[in-house]
Amino acid sequence: MPKIYFNFKQHQVSPASYLLDWIVPLFLDHLPFEACARIWDVLILEGDSFLYRAALGILGVLEPRLFFPDRQELLQLLKGENKAAIDVATREGRPLDGGKYEIYGLDEETLWERIDSMDEWWKESTWNSLIWGNEMVAFPLL
């Protein structure tokens, strides 16, 4: 995800700005419960490396929305507090009771399509690169 990486680097947005808010509550604040339950199931089966895969999946779904000229607006989006998106979701009559990212149309099906599409490049070498901080990784989370 080089575009996201360079955009975040340009705006000085580090994973610490959003990742703890996702991982500590195991995504419950940001995703609908059904998506969280599915993540938890896979987490039990595959281990904690799946947390990073899920985080990359979320960034992948949000990617078209992550290019703001302003750092503050980008951080609001990552926190699920983007006023413009909330206004649009409210105007469209979407229920906003299942996680902050529902305002962006992120649901279980959309997230899982993205996670499944990452199967080809999510391999042991990718995980090792994340752990060791290899500069060749397009978007290091650690």
Side-chain angles (χ1 to χ4, degrees):
M1 300 179 181
K3 290 180 184 178
I4 295 174
Y5 172 75
F6 289 114
N7 184 51
F8 281 16
K9 188 172 182 176
Q10 179 182 17
H11 286 22
Q12 299 175 343
V13 173
S14 72
S17 305
Y18 58 91
L19 200 57
L20 287 176
D21 290 340
W22 292 356
I23 292 179
V24 170
L26 294 174
F27 303 101
L28 194 56
D29 292 340
H30 291 82
L31 300 177
F33 181 76
E34 295 79 16
C36 290
R38 196 161 174 190
I39 288 172
W40 302 338
D41 287 344
V42 178
L43 176 64
I44 290 169
L45 291 171
E46 293 186 12
D48 59 359
S49 67
F50 189 75
L51 292 173
Y52 295 98
R53 187 172 174 192
L56 289 171
I58 291 169
L59 289 173
V61 172
L62 295 178
E63 183 173 12
R65 300 174 179 271
L66 293 176
F67 301 99
F68 287 103
D70 168 290
R71 180 180 191 270
Q72 189 61 32
E73 196 169 358
L74 178 59
L75 290 172
Q76 286 176 347
L77 184 135
L78 289 167
K79 291 179 183 213
E81 299 169 354
N82 183 269
K83 185 175 177 353
I86 293 169
D87 291 344
V88 169
T90 303
R91 192 173 40 244
E92 292 176 354
R94 282 189 260 148
L96 302 177
D97 56 356
K100 293 179 179 181
Y101 287 169
E102 279 192 330
I103 61 174
Y104 310 128
L106 199 156
D107 58 16
E108 176 189 6
E109 184 177 330
T110 307
L111 177 59
W112 234 256
E113 285 175 8
R114 182 59 185 202
I115 290 172
D116 285 344
S117 74
M118 296 179 341
D119 275 344
E120 289 185 29
W121 60 266
W122 183 264
K123 298 179 181 176
E124 190 65 29
S125 61
T126 302
W127 177 240
N128 285 335
S129 295
L130 287 170
I131 290 173
W132 302 113
N134 185 338
E135 292 293 322
M136 299 303 290
V137 175
F139 190 77
L141 288 173
L142 299 177

